[in-house]
Amino acid sequence: MSTSRITKYGSVFNIGLQNTFVYRWNYFLRALFGLIPLAGTVFLWAAVFKERGGGLHGYDYGSMIYYYLLTILVSNLVVPTEDEWQIAADIREGQINSLLTKPMSYLAYRTSIFLSGRLVYSFVTLPPIAVIFIYFREYVVLPNDPLVYVLAAISTVMAAFIQFFITYSLAMFAFWILEISTIVFIVYSFEYFLGGQMFPIDIMPAAVQAVMKWLPFYYELFCPVAIFLGRLKGPDLVQALTIQTGWLLLTWMWARFMWRRGLGHYQAVGG
């Protein structure tokens, strides 16, 4: 990428940073109230482990709570915040017209906005999350191997872009339909159920896990958390990162494809 292109998208990033920071208190309150379900999770798994009187697929009460702490952290780092609605509004209201006349990739433009939003959102929401980690510090066990931190960070970055490209692709449906909320909520329901937010994927039966490992949802949240917890090692770790890389490329290609198809339809209808 040339210096001029870097400067151009750097300016977009800076503008997005300023615009997003206006809503910092909204983000803070959203993160704060988003922690409320953790209380229900704590009581739920306390009852489960008390009833079982033992562990569950390698998890005990402490490691299960730690797992949910990490999912909260990773989800705040990677999950797009209203990007699909903003992109859909750009299309529906014709705001993309001004961008079509400029030498600028809309995908790169929205990626810059996404990155600036993630930076502000993470900066604002990490303090309350840190307080929760401190409160449950007796369950926090950090990895001893530095490589785990590196691989978990790489997986987290890929998870963020996979989520963004899927979000971007969903927003492209605004070229064809007026309201995309139904499609978005259906996909998000799958993400919530199959991505590891509701429960760890590796407590499922082996046959179910084998299928889920080939779906993108597995790599949107669970994969980086499992790497950090040391639940993916050796060949399983290599396979997971390879498949995650594949999904990153596929979702990027699909996002570009949806834009081209949608733009052709938009030009045909809008003249």
Side-chain angles (χ1 to χ4, degrees):
M1 183 179 290
S2 64
T3 304
S4 60
R5 287 172 64 87
I6 295 175
T7 302
K8 177 170 57 180
Y9 292 115
S11 299
V12 174
F13 177 87
N14 185 48
I15 293 172
L17 203 64
Q18 296 177 38
N19 292 338
T20 307
F21 207 76
V22 173
Y23 303 100
R24 59 190 181 277
W25 285 109
N26 291 352
Y27 293 156
F28 179 81
L29 292 174
R30 178 183 298 179
L32 191 62
F33 285 101
L35 297 175
I36 293 177
L38 179 63
T41 300
V42 169
F43 291 119
L44 171 64
W45 286 105
V48 169
F49 283 107
K50 182 178 179 180
E51 183 68 23
R52 288 181 59 87
L56 177 65
H57 294 276
Y59 290 94
D60 57 18
Y61 174 71
S63 60
M64 186 64 76
I65 298 304
Y66 189 25
Y67 169 83
Y68 280 102
L69 292 176
L70 289 174
T71 60
I72 290 173
L73 173 61
V74 174
S75 64
N76 276 276
L77 293 175
V78 307
V79 176
T81 307
E82 299 183 357
D83 289 67
E84 63 276 83
W85 312 120
Q86 295 173 7
I87 296 171
D90 281 351
I91 297 170
R92 187 170 56 250
E93 298 169 8
Q95 298 298 323
I96 62 171
N97 292 338
S98 60
L99 295 171
L100 294 177
T101 59
K102 299 177 181 178
M104 179 179 293
S105 163
Y106 186 70
L107 178 57
Y109 167 79
R110 288 307 316 186
T111 300
S112 300
I113 299 295
F114 166 69
L115 292 175
S116 64
R118 284 299 86 208
L119 181 60
V120 173
Y121 192 84
S122 300
F123 176 78
V124 173
T125 60
L126 284 180
I129 294 175
V131 172
I132 298 299
F133 266 80
I134 293 172
Y135 182 81
F136 289 104
R137 60 186 178 277
E138 62 181 299
Y139 304 129
V140 175
V141 181
L142 298 177
N144 295 319
D145 186 357
L147 184 60
V148 172
Y149 293 91
V150 175
L151 295 178
I154 292 173
S155 181
T156 300
V157 171
M158 288 198 290
F161 279 103
I162 288 173
Q163 292 220 29
F164 171 71
F165 291 139
I166 290 176
T167 294
Y168 182 91
S169 299
L170 293 177
M172 291 299 103
F173 280 101
F175 280 117
W176 291 276
I177 59 178
L178 185 62
E179 183 55 63
I180 66 169
S181 58
T182 300
I183 297 174
V184 170
F185 288 132
I186 289 174
V187 174
Y188 281 7
S189 296
F190 280 104
E191 288 181 339
Y192 186 79
F193 184 74
L194 303 177
Q197 293 193 55
M198 182 172 292
F199 50 78
I201 302 301
D202 52 1
I203 68 172
M204 300 290 287
V208 176
Q209 289 187 51
V211 174
M212 295 175 73
K213 285 181 179 179
W214 291 99
L215 300 177
F217 312 115
Y218 183 95
Y219 303 96
E220 293 182 28
L221 181 67
F222 178 77
C223 185
V225 173
I227 292 174
F228 193 82
L229 289 174
R231 299 187 70 86
L232 284 174
K233 298 179 180 179
D236 291 336
L237 174 58
V238 174
Q239 182 190 57
L241 290 175
T242 301
I243 297 175
Q244 188 178 30
T245 303
W247 274 115
L248 176 62
L249 294 174
L250 284 173
T251 52
W252 171 70
M253 293 170 61
W254 182 250
R256 288 168 55 88
F257 170 78
M258 289 293 289
W259 167 257
R260 289 195 299 268
R261 289 298 300 271
L263 192 60
H265 180 81
Y266 180 77
Q267 290 174 330
V269 175

